Amino acid sequence: MYNQMLQPQQTLYQADPAFAEHVRCAREKLLDVCRQASNRPVRVQLMNGQVYEGIMVQADDNHLYLRVSNPNARAFFNPYASAQSEVILPLVLYTLLVITLLY
């Protein structure tokens, strides 16, 4: 085991420094946008075409947290329905394509 730790490692991927800087700047801009839209209804489109609508709850360095309706909520009466009919959906920042404010 000790000998395995001393063996040289093969790098499989290393981001180009210019690309990494571009991604860092885009993330900072996106975080500013997310902070301005906090607690507001938004539509979010991902790069793979998926679209979500909900309330933007929070954003951190890696994720945007969107409160969305839970399509799997039970149909019978539940006095706690608001707690069970909504979930927080974490979306990875670098997959976001469009964020639109809904009024």
Side-chain angles (χ1 to χ4, degrees):
M1 174 119 176
Y2 181 74
N3 289 338
Q4 291 176 347
M5 293 173 43
L6 295 178
Q7 294 176 354
Q9 297 177 358
Q10 179 183 5
T11 301
L12 299 177
Y13 172 79
Q14 184 171 353
D16 175 69
F19 172 75
E21 179 63 18
H22 180 74
V23 170
R24 186 190 63 75
C25 290
R27 183 179 63 193
E28 287 178 11
K29 181 178 179 180
L30 186 53
L31 282 171
D32 287 340
V33 167
C34 291
R35 287 184 186 109
Q36 293 173 16
S38 184
N39 296 313
R40 297 181 70 182
V42 295
R43 178 181 299 122
V44 177
Q45 181 179 349
L46 305 183
M47 288 186 185
N48 66 4
Q50 290 181 305
V51 177
Y52 300 98
E53 289 186 6
I55 305 295
M56 189 178 305
V57 177
Q58 181 182 352
D60 61 28
D61 285 345
N62 298 306
H63 297 91
L64 174 141
Y65 299 93
L66 193 65
R67 185 171 62 230
V68 297
S69 296
N70 182 359
N72 298 322
R74 299 280 184 177
F76 61 86
F77 174 75
N78 184 346
Y80 305 105
S82 64
Q84 293 180 0
S85 64
E86 294 181 338
V87 295
I88 302 296
L89 180 66
L91 301 172
V92 178
L93 287 182
Y94 67 82
T95 65
L96 302 182
L97 184 61
V98 180
I99 299 174
T100 306
L101 277 177
L102 303 176
Y103 296 97

